[in-house]
Amino acid sequence: MCMDRLEEKRLEIQLSADKKELAIIRFLAGPFAGKEFPLINEETTIGRSQEADILVTDTLLSRQHAKIISSDDKWYIEDMKSSNGTWIGGREIQEQYCIQNFQRIRAGNSLFEVEFKNNASEEIDPSISYSFKPEPIAEDTSDLPIEDIRWQHRRLAVMYNLQNQLSLILNEKDIYSCVTTALLGEIDADYIYMLIYDQKTDRFVPSYGQDKNGKAVTINKNPLSTSVLEYVKRNSEAVLSVDPPNDSRFASDSVSIMKTQKVICVPIVSQQDIIGAIYMAAVEPKKSFSEEDLQLLAGVAFSCAMAIMNCRLIKKNIANERMAALGTTAASLSHYIKNILTGIDGCLYLMRMGIDDSDPDLMNEAWGILSRNHKRLSGLVMDLLNLAKEHNLELHVQNISEIILEAIELVKPNFNGMNVEIDISDNIVNNSIMAEVDAMAVHRVLLNLLNNSCDAANERFQGEEGGKIFVDASKTDNNRIVEISIRDNGCGIPEDKVDTIFDMFYSGKGENGTGLGLAVSRRLVEAHKGIINVKSKENEFTKFIIRLPIAHKNLETQLFKRPSID
């Protein structure tokens, strides 16, 4: 049955050989990418069944997916109630749709366009004076004439200089600015546009425009030739156009606002996919572009494409890393959060019993549990916020002594409950130590370190007397650095773990710690252009030292190597 249908197809093609070819359907992507089929009938169906006029082996197509119709010198496409729909410009068509010449249509995994033969006269664009497929710059100039060698050397010099600049850029918008400035310095144009290809609308969208004086330009004052852009998009060719307004396909309302101009335009291509275009125009009559200008522009487009895709890849990798970090964070904190919730559940149960029995002692016990778990949860939330956000510090001249005393005052009840003694140096109590810091950030670091020291002392002495913490602060390095130290006589850190305590999610407290406190502390200190260091001996002591620049606006302020700790 299938062979009979194929034989019928062959006979139809033979009988229609003398018919006039009305149009061509050209597949651009999908299983039939690169293939063309003539349209010789006024109605042609597309689908994945033998009954379709054009059989496409695309699993996402319906058996009879869409129909292309010619009527009154116009072309229409109609979706035949397919499962996955027919799409134009990112929108699914709901009824018969009038299509334009070379308009791109997506059905399933296939992307195709229709070229109308009854408009063939328009294909020869008198405004296109020169075009070519962009190719990489050839550095082998041994067989070239002397004038061509000089041009190649100049071209390579421009490219190397631009490539060095682009290699340092990680923001896509900065690439556009860099490229436009470099090109306006080499090619005598009145303005330039960087355009990005939008797959949804199948159009070039202006992303950045600049004139010869370095000022921003818009398409309202400096319009673009849509015919040239369509030619570049369709053929992936670099184009030199001498008179775009004379193109018969150019809309009359746009012609009325355009001046006679010369245009060069090249596609920005990555792995055979167009991602954008560079468009340069000259309005002044005396100005003119050459083929060499077009070749230089094409070479720049290659470097631009690599830089743009590099920026997009970095951006994508960052997004992927954030998602991975989110999953790791959730997994790492699940036990800790579960412990907090268990404590709160127990607290609520005791509170309910105390209320029912009018037992104030039981209610006070429940209140203590609730208070401790509230502090643990608050600390976790603050650490997560400090870890996730960008640290744009609010730097002001602050009294470091006051910040230290406030942090100590806040943790004192916890210290007293664990029978840990805290000793504050006279230098902090009696002197003001002024420095340019973010007070909230420094306060958060001190809270983390003080609580860790308290836990370490409590772990060693188990609530008995003997746990001590000493806090000191002073100016060093000719009053350019403020140094804060916190020393405890707790359980200490094993020698093989000292280098890992600042790593994310590492905790020496087991399920009672999040592994975020010291990681957050280091980020906050480094955001101040400071350093945090630790020295410890197991079952004897642990000492943290924070070194922060006193002034950030002074150009002479700098960091020094980590201090040796006694």
Side-chain angles (χ1 to χ4, degrees), residues 181-209:
T181 302
L183 287 172
L184 287 173
E186 293 294 330
I187 300 176
D188 191 15
D190 289 307
Y191 60 89
I192 181 173
Y193 282 105
M194 300 291 296
L195 303 109
I196 296 301
Y197 175 65
D198 186 350
Q199 289 184 339
K200 291 183 178 180
T201 60
D202 189 30
R203 295 175 183 270
F204 283 118
V205 179
S207 181
Y208 188 90

PDB file of all heavy atoms in Angstrom, residues 181-209:
ATOM      1  N   THR A 181      33.104  51.751  19.240  1.00  0.00           N
ATOM      2  CA  THR A 181      34.162  52.768  19.353  1.00  0.00           C
ATOM      3  C   THR A 181      35.352  52.416  18.469  1.00  0.00           C
ATOM      4  O   THR A 181      35.908  53.279  17.767  1.00  0.00           O
ATOM      5  CB  THR A 181      34.615  52.907  20.814  1.00  0.00           C
ATOM      6  OG1 THR A 181      33.489  53.263  21.628  1.00  0.00           O
ATOM      7  CG2 THR A 181      35.688  53.970  20.947  1.00  0.00           C
ATOM      8  N   ALA A 182      35.742  51.137  18.472  1.00  0.00           N
ATOM      9  CA  ALA A 182      36.877  50.708  17.658  1.00  0.00           C
ATOM     10  C   ALA A 182      36.592  50.865  16.169  1.00  0.00           C
ATOM     11  O   ALA A 182      37.444  51.333  15.397  1.00  0.00           O
ATOM     12  CB  ALA A 182      37.223  49.255  17.983  1.00  0.00           C
ATOM     13  N   LEU A 183      35.394  50.518  15.725  1.00  0.00           N
ATOM     14  CA  LEU A 183      35.060  50.589  14.305  1.00  0.00           C
ATOM     15  C   LEU A 183      34.928  52.019  13.808  1.00  0.00           C
ATOM     16  O   LEU A 183      35.356  52.347  12.696  1.00  0.00           O
ATOM     17  CB  LEU A 183      33.765  49.814  14.040  1.00  0.00           C
ATOM     18  CG  LEU A 183      33.887  48.289  14.097  1.00  0.00           C
ATOM     19  CD1 LEU A 183      32.518  47.634  14.025  1.00  0.00           C
ATOM     20  CD2 LEU A 183      34.771  47.779  12.972  1.00  0.00           C
ATOM     21  N   LEU A 184      34.328  52.890  14.614  1.00  0.00           N
ATOM     22  CA  LEU A 184      34.192  54.295  14.211  1.00  0.00           C
ATOM     23  C   LEU A 184      35.551  54.974  14.124  1.00  0.00           C
ATOM     24  O   LEU A 184      35.702  55.987  13.443  1.00  0.00           O
ATOM     25  CB  LEU A 184      33.281  55.046  15.183  1.00  0.00           C
ATOM     26  CG  LEU A 184      31.786  54.710  15.061  1.00  0.00           C
ATOM     27  CD1 LEU A 184      31.001  55.374  16.187  1.00  0.00           C
ATOM     28  CD2 LEU A 184      31.243  55.161  13.710  1.00  0.00           C
ATOM     29  N   GLY A 185      36.549  54.396  14.816  1.00  0.00           N
ATOM     30  CA  GLY A 185      37.899  54.939  14.710  1.00  0.00           C
ATOM     31  C   GLY A 185      38.627  54.488  13.459  1.00  0.00           C
ATOM     32  O   GLY A 185      39.639  55.078  13.070  1.00  0.00           O
ATOM     33  N   GLU A 186      38.128  53.424  12.800  1.00  0.00           N
ATOM     34  CA  GLU A 186      38.798  52.875  11.613  1.00  0.00           C
ATOM     35  C   GLU A 186      38.008  53.074  10.330  1.00  0.00           C
ATOM     36  O   GLU A 186      38.578  53.172   9.252  1.00  0.00           O
ATOM     37  CB  GLU A 186      39.038  51.364  11.812  1.00  0.00           C
ATOM     38  CG  GLU A 186      40.044  51.036  12.898  1.00  0.00           C
ATOM     39  CD  GLU A 186      41.448  51.512  12.552  1.00  0.00           C
ATOM     40  OE1 GLU A 186      41.785  51.565  11.353  1.00  0.00           O
ATOM     41  OE2 GLU A 186      42.200  51.845  13.486  1.00  0.00           O
ATOM     42  N   ILE A 187      36.688  53.123  10.418  1.00  0.00           N
ATOM     43  CA  ILE A 187      35.835  53.250   9.236  1.00  0.00           C
ATOM     44  C   ILE A 187      35.078  54.567   9.310  1.00  0.00           C
ATOM     45  O   ILE A 187      34.470  54.883  10.332  1.00  0.00           O
ATOM     46  CB  ILE A 187      34.852  52.063   9.151  1.00  0.00           C
ATOM     47  CG1 ILE A 187      35.627  50.740   9.046  1.00  0.00           C
ATOM     48  CG2 ILE A 187      33.924  52.216   7.955  1.00  0.00           C
ATOM     49  CD1 ILE A 187      34.735  49.506   9.067  1.00  0.00           C
ATOM     50  N   ASP A 188      35.102  55.325   8.215  1.00  0.00           N
ATOM     51  CA  ASP A 188      34.510  56.662   8.189  1.00  0.00           C
ATOM     52  C   ASP A 188      32.999  56.559   8.002  1.00  0.00           C
ATOM     53  O   ASP A 188      32.476  56.633   6.881  1.00  0.00           O
ATOM     54  CB  ASP A 188      35.132  57.484   7.054  1.00  0.00           C
ATOM     55  CG  ASP A 188      34.744  58.966   7.157  1.00  0.00           C
ATOM     56  OD1 ASP A 188      34.265  59.372   8.237  1.00  0.00           O
ATOM     57  OD2 ASP A 188      34.924  59.684   6.158  1.00  0.00           O
ATOM     58  N   ALA A 189      32.269  56.376   9.100  1.00  0.00           N
ATOM     59  CA  ALA A 189      30.811  56.262   9.079  1.00  0.00           C
ATOM     60  C   ALA A 189      30.201  57.344   9.954  1.00  0.00           C
ATOM     61  O   ALA A 189      30.864  57.909  10.836  1.00  0.00           O
ATOM     62  CB  ALA A 189      30.383  54.883   9.562  1.00  0.00           C
ATOM     63  N   ASP A 190      28.915  57.628   9.699  1.00  0.00           N
ATOM     64  CA  ASP A 190      28.222  58.632  10.510  1.00  0.00           C
ATOM     65  C   ASP A 190      27.596  58.014  11.757  1.00  0.00           C
ATOM     66  O   ASP A 190      27.476  58.675  12.780  1.00  0.00           O
ATOM     67  CB  ASP A 190      27.137  59.322   9.674  1.00  0.00           C
ATOM     68  CG  ASP A 190      27.739  60.238   8.623  1.00  0.00           C
ATOM     69  OD1 ASP A 190      28.562  61.098   8.995  1.00  0.00           O
ATOM     70  OD2 ASP A 190      27.411  60.082   7.439  1.00  0.00           O
ATOM     71  N   TYR A 191      27.188  56.762  11.666  1.00  0.00           N
ATOM     72  CA  TYR A 191      26.667  56.089  12.854  1.00  0.00           C
ATOM     73  C   TYR A 191      26.756  54.581  12.674  1.00  0.00           C
ATOM     74  O   TYR A 191      26.932  54.063  11.575  1.00  0.00           O
ATOM     75  CB  TYR A 191      25.233  56.509  13.192  1.00  0.00           C
ATOM     76  CG  TYR A 191      24.201  56.244  12.135  1.00  0.00           C
ATOM     77  CD1 TYR A 191      23.510  55.041  12.089  1.00  0.00           C
ATOM     78  CD2 TYR A 191      23.884  57.217  11.180  1.00  0.00           C
ATOM     79  CE1 TYR A 191      22.545  54.793  11.130  1.00  0.00           C
ATOM     80  CE2 TYR A 191      22.923  56.984  10.221  1.00  0.00           C
ATOM     81  CZ  TYR A 191      22.254  55.766  10.194  1.00  0.00           C
ATOM     82  OH  TYR A 191      21.298  55.522   9.244  1.00  0.00           O
ATOM     83  N   ILE A 192      26.631  53.882  13.804  1.00  0.00           N
ATOM     84  CA  ILE A 192      26.764  52.422  13.825  1.00  0.00           C
ATOM     85  C   ILE A 192      25.745  51.858  14.807  1.00  0.00           C
ATOM     86  O   ILE A 192      25.418  52.479  15.823  1.00  0.00           O
ATOM     87  CB  ILE A 192      28.199  52.011  14.233  1.00  0.00           C
ATOM     88  CG1 ILE A 192      28.350  50.491  14.245  1.00  0.00           C
ATOM     89  CG2 ILE A 192      28.565  52.577  15.600  1.00  0.00           C
ATOM     90  CD1 ILE A 192      29.787  50.021  14.484  1.00  0.00           C
ATOM     91  N   TYR A 193      25.217  50.679  14.469  1.00  0.00           N
ATOM     92  CA  TYR A 193      24.299  49.964  15.360  1.00  0.00           C
ATOM     93  C   TYR A 193      24.825  48.551  15.607  1.00  0.00           C
ATOM     94  O   TYR A 193      25.353  47.902  14.701  1.00  0.00           O
ATOM     95  CB  TYR A 193      22.903  49.838  14.734  1.00  0.00           C
ATOM     96  CG  TYR A 193      22.058  51.084  14.802  1.00  0.00           C
ATOM     97  CD1 TYR A 193      21.855  51.868  13.670  1.00  0.00           C
ATOM     98  CD2 TYR A 193      21.441  51.462  15.984  1.00  0.00           C
ATOM     99  CE1 TYR A 193      21.070  53.007  13.718  1.00  0.00           C
ATOM    100  CE2 TYR A 193      20.653  52.603  16.051  1.00  0.00           C
ATOM    101  CZ  TYR A 193      20.462  53.367  14.914  1.00  0.00           C
ATOM    102  OH  TYR A 193      19.689  54.483  14.969  1.00  0.00           O
ATOM    103  N   MET A 194      24.662  48.100  16.831  1.00  0.00           N
ATOM    104  CA  MET A 194      24.830  46.689  17.172  1.00  0.00           C
ATOM    105  C   MET A 194      23.427  46.126  17.355  1.00  0.00           C
ATOM    106  O   MET A 194      22.637  46.653  18.144  1.00  0.00           O
ATOM    107  CB  MET A 194      25.639  46.523  18.452  1.00  0.00           C
ATOM    108  CG  MET A 194      27.036  47.110  18.402  1.00  0.00           C
ATOM    109  SD  MET A 194      28.140  46.212  17.309  1.00  0.00           S
ATOM    110  CE  MET A 194      28.220  44.629  18.136  1.00  0.00           C
ATOM    111  N   LEU A 195      23.110  45.070  16.608  1.00  0.00           N
ATOM    112  CA  LEU A 195      21.774  44.488  16.656  1.00  0.00           C
ATOM    113  C   LEU A 195      21.838  43.042  17.145  1.00  0.00           C
ATOM    114  O   LEU A 195      22.795  42.328  16.851  1.00  0.00           O
ATOM    115  CB  LEU A 195      21.120  44.530  15.266  1.00  0.00           C
ATOM    116  CG  LEU A 195      21.013  45.922  14.640  1.00  0.00           C
ATOM    117  CD1 LEU A 195      21.989  46.034  13.486  1.00  0.00           C
ATOM    118  CD2 LEU A 195      19.605  46.206  14.165  1.00  0.00           C
ATOM    119  N   ILE A 196      20.815  42.634  17.889  1.00  0.00           N
ATOM    120  CA  ILE A 196      20.709  41.271  18.395  1.00  0.00           C
ATOM    121  C   ILE A 196      19.542  40.581  17.686  1.00  0.00           C
ATOM    122  O   ILE A 196      18.462  41.166  17.528  1.00  0.00           O
ATOM    123  CB  ILE A 196      20.477  41.260  19.918  1.00  0.00           C
ATOM    124  CG1 ILE A 196      21.687  41.863  20.623  1.00  0.00           C
ATOM    125  CG2 ILE A 196      20.231  39.850  20.420  1.00  0.00           C
ATOM    126  CD1 ILE A 196      22.987  41.137  20.353  1.00  0.00           C
ATOM    127  N   TYR A 197      19.770  39.343  17.253  1.00  0.00           N
ATOM    128  CA  TYR A 197      18.710  38.601  16.573  1.00  0.00           C
ATOM    129  C   TYR A 197      17.762  37.985  17.594  1.00  0.00           C
ATOM    130  O   TYR A 197      18.180  37.264  18.503  1.00  0.00           O
ATOM    131  CB  TYR A 197      19.323  37.498  15.698  1.00  0.00           C
ATOM    132  CG  TYR A 197      18.286  36.601  15.055  1.00  0.00           C
ATOM    133  CD1 TYR A 197      17.397  37.112  14.118  1.00  0.00           C
ATOM    134  CD2 TYR A 197      18.189  35.259  15.410  1.00  0.00           C
ATOM    135  CE1 TYR A 197      16.437  36.299  13.534  1.00  0.00           C
ATOM    136  CE2 TYR A 197      17.239  34.443  14.824  1.00  0.00           C
ATOM    137  CZ  TYR A 197      16.359  34.964  13.890  1.00  0.00           C
ATOM    138  OH  TYR A 197      15.412  34.159  13.324  1.00  0.00           O
ATOM    139  N   ASP A 198      16.464  38.307  17.437  1.00  0.00           N
ATOM    140  CA  ASP A 198      15.421  37.787  18.320  1.00  0.00           C
ATOM    141  C   ASP A 198      14.737  36.615  17.614  1.00  0.00           C
ATOM    142  O   ASP A 198      14.045  36.801  16.609  1.00  0.00           O
ATOM    143  CB  ASP A 198      14.406  38.886  18.635  1.00  0.00           C
ATOM    144  CG  ASP A 198      13.364  38.451  19.659  1.00  0.00           C
ATOM    145  OD1 ASP A 198      13.315  37.255  19.986  1.00  0.00           O
ATOM    146  OD2 ASP A 198      12.597  39.313  20.130  1.00  0.00           O
ATOM    147  N   GLN A 199      14.919  35.396  18.133  1.00  0.00           N
ATOM    148  CA  GLN A 199      14.359  34.215  17.489  1.00  0.00           C
ATOM    149  C   GLN A 199      12.837  34.204  17.506  1.00  0.00           C
ATOM    150  O   GLN A 199      12.205  33.714  16.571  1.00  0.00           O
ATOM    151  CB  GLN A 199      14.887  32.951  18.174  1.00  0.00           C
ATOM    152  CG  GLN A 199      16.354  32.668  17.901  1.00  0.00           C
ATOM    153  CD  GLN A 199      16.790  31.353  18.516  1.00  0.00           C
ATOM    154  OE1 GLN A 199      16.168  30.852  19.431  1.00  0.00           O
ATOM    155  NE2 GLN A 199      17.882  30.795  17.992  1.00  0.00           N
ATOM    156  N   LYS A 200      12.243  34.764  18.543  1.00  0.00           N
ATOM    157  CA  LYS A 200      10.788  34.730  18.652  1.00  0.00           C
ATOM    158  C   LYS A 200      10.117  35.547  17.554  1.00  0.00           C
ATOM    159  O   LYS A 200       9.099  35.148  16.984  1.00  0.00           O
ATOM    160  CB  LYS A 200      10.350  35.237  20.034  1.00  0.00           C
ATOM    161  CG  LYS A 200      10.722  34.306  21.176  1.00  0.00           C
ATOM    162  CD  LYS A 200      10.189  34.828  22.498  1.00  0.00           C
ATOM    163  CE  LYS A 200      10.524  33.867  23.636  1.00  0.00           C
ATOM    164  NZ  LYS A 200      10.022  34.366  24.938  1.00  0.00           N
ATOM    165  N   THR A 201      10.654  36.720  17.274  1.00  0.00           N
ATOM    166  CA  THR A 201      10.064  37.593  16.260  1.00  0.00           C
ATOM    167  C   THR A 201      10.752  37.483  14.913  1.00  0.00           C
ATOM    168  O   THR A 201      10.297  38.079  13.936  1.00  0.00           O
ATOM    169  CB  THR A 201      10.116  39.055  16.727  1.00  0.00           C
ATOM    170  OG1 THR A 201      11.491  39.439  16.933  1.00  0.00           O
ATOM    171  CG2 THR A 201       9.367  39.232  18.040  1.00  0.00           C
ATOM    172  N   ASP A 202      11.873  36.737  14.854  1.00  0.00           N
ATOM    173  CA  ASP A 202      12.651  36.586  13.621  1.00  0.00           C
ATOM    174  C   ASP A 202      13.076  37.954  13.085  1.00  0.00           C
ATOM    175  O   ASP A 202      12.996  38.239  11.897  1.00  0.00           O
ATOM    176  CB  ASP A 202      11.841  35.824  12.570  1.00  0.00           C
ATOM    177  CG  ASP A 202      12.688  35.446  11.361  1.00  0.00           C
ATOM    178  OD1 ASP A 202      13.902  35.233  11.534  1.00  0.00           O
ATOM    179  OD2 ASP A 202      12.137  35.382  10.242  1.00  0.00           O
ATOM    180  N   ARG A 203      13.546  38.815  13.973  1.00  0.00           N
ATOM    181  CA  ARG A 203      13.969  40.167  13.587  1.00  0.00           C
ATOM    182  C   ARG A 203      15.280  40.534  14.274  1.00  0.00           C
ATOM    183  O   ARG A 203      15.626  39.983  15.314  1.00  0.00           O
ATOM    184  CB  ARG A 203      12.901  41.203  13.981  1.00  0.00           C
ATOM    185  CG  ARG A 203      11.573  41.071  13.254  1.00  0.00           C
ATOM    186  CD  ARG A 203      10.558  42.067  13.813  1.00  0.00           C
ATOM    187  NE  ARG A 203       9.258  41.922  13.186  1.00  0.00           N
ATOM    188  CZ  ARG A 203       8.876  42.562  12.093  1.00  0.00           C
ATOM    189  NH1 ARG A 203       9.706  43.415  11.506  1.00  0.00           N
ATOM    190  NH2 ARG A 203       7.676  42.384  11.577  1.00  0.00           N
ATOM    191  N   PHE A 204      15.964  41.506  13.674  1.00  0.00           N
ATOM    192  CA  PHE A 204      17.114  42.122  14.323  1.00  0.00           C
ATOM    193  C   PHE A 204      16.604  43.270  15.199  1.00  0.00           C
ATOM    194  O   PHE A 204      15.846  44.124  14.740  1.00  0.00           O
ATOM    195  CB  PHE A 204      18.107  42.672  13.298  1.00  0.00           C
ATOM    196  CG  PHE A 204      18.948  41.622  12.639  1.00  0.00           C
ATOM    197  CD1 PHE A 204      18.887  41.403  11.279  1.00  0.00           C
ATOM    198  CD2 PHE A 204      19.822  40.848  13.398  1.00  0.00           C
ATOM    199  CE1 PHE A 204      19.671  40.440  10.670  1.00  0.00           C
ATOM    200  CE2 PHE A 204      20.609  39.878  12.803  1.00  0.00           C
ATOM    201  CZ  PHE A 204      20.531  39.673  11.435  1.00  0.00           C
ATOM    202  N   VAL A 205      17.031  43.275  16.445  1.00  0.00           N
ATOM    203  CA  VAL A 205      16.600  44.308  17.394  1.00  0.00           C
ATOM    204  C   VAL A 205      17.805  45.175  17.760  1.00  0.00           C
ATOM    205  O   VAL A 205      18.817  44.645  18.252  1.00  0.00           O
ATOM    206  CB  VAL A 205      16.004  43.681  18.673  1.00  0.00           C
ATOM    207  CG1 VAL A 205      15.580  44.767  19.651  1.00  0.00           C
ATOM    208  CG2 VAL A 205      14.847  42.767  18.322  1.00  0.00           C
ATOM    209  N   PRO A 206      17.743  46.503  17.528  1.00  0.00           N
ATOM    210  CA  PRO A 206      18.871  47.373  17.906  1.00  0.00           C
ATOM    211  C   PRO A 206      19.135  47.307  19.406  1.00  0.00           C
ATOM    212  O   PRO A 206      18.226  47.458  20.214  1.00  0.00           O
ATOM    213  CB  PRO A 206      18.396  48.770  17.477  1.00  0.00           C
ATOM    214  CG  PRO A 206      17.345  48.526  16.451  1.00  0.00           C
ATOM    215  CD  PRO A 206      16.665  47.239  16.857  1.00  0.00           C
ATOM    216  N   SER A 207      20.380  47.039  19.764  1.00  0.00           N
ATOM    217  CA  SER A 207      20.748  46.953  21.170  1.00  0.00           C
ATOM    218  C   SER A 207      21.630  48.120  21.596  1.00  0.00           C
ATOM    219  O   SER A 207      21.614  48.516  22.760  1.00  0.00           O
ATOM    220  CB  SER A 207      21.479  45.635  21.444  1.00  0.00           C
ATOM    221  OG  SER A 207      21.830  45.525  22.796  1.00  0.00           O
ATOM    222  N   TYR A 208      22.395  48.654  20.651  1.00  0.00           N
ATOM    223  CA  TYR A 208      23.313  49.749  20.984  1.00  0.00           C
ATOM    224  C   TYR A 208      23.578  50.559  19.717  1.00  0.00           C
ATOM    225  O   TYR A 208      23.837  49.994  18.655  1.00  0.00           O
ATOM    226  CB  TYR A 208      24.625  49.181  21.541  1.00  0.00           C
ATOM    227  CG  TYR A 208      25.578  50.220  22.090  1.00  0.00           C
ATOM    228  CD1 TYR A 208      25.530  50.606  23.423  1.00  0.00           C
ATOM    229  CD2 TYR A 208      26.520  50.826  21.265  1.00  0.00           C
ATOM    230  CE1 TYR A 208      26.397  51.555  23.927  1.00  0.00           C
ATOM    231  CE2 TYR A 208      27.400  51.782  21.769  1.00  0.00           C
ATOM    232  CZ  TYR A 208      27.340  52.141  23.101  1.00  0.00           C
ATOM    233  OH  TYR A 208      28.204  53.086  23.594  1.00  0.00           O
ATOM    234  N   GLY A 209      23.483  51.870  19.811  1.00  0.00           N
ATOM    235  CA  GLY A 209      23.757  52.748  18.673  1.00  0.00           C
ATOM    236  C   GLY A 209      24.630  53.913  19.080  1.00  0.00           C
ATOM    237  O   GLY A 209      24.487  54.453  20.178  1.00  0.00           O
TER     238      GLY A 209
END
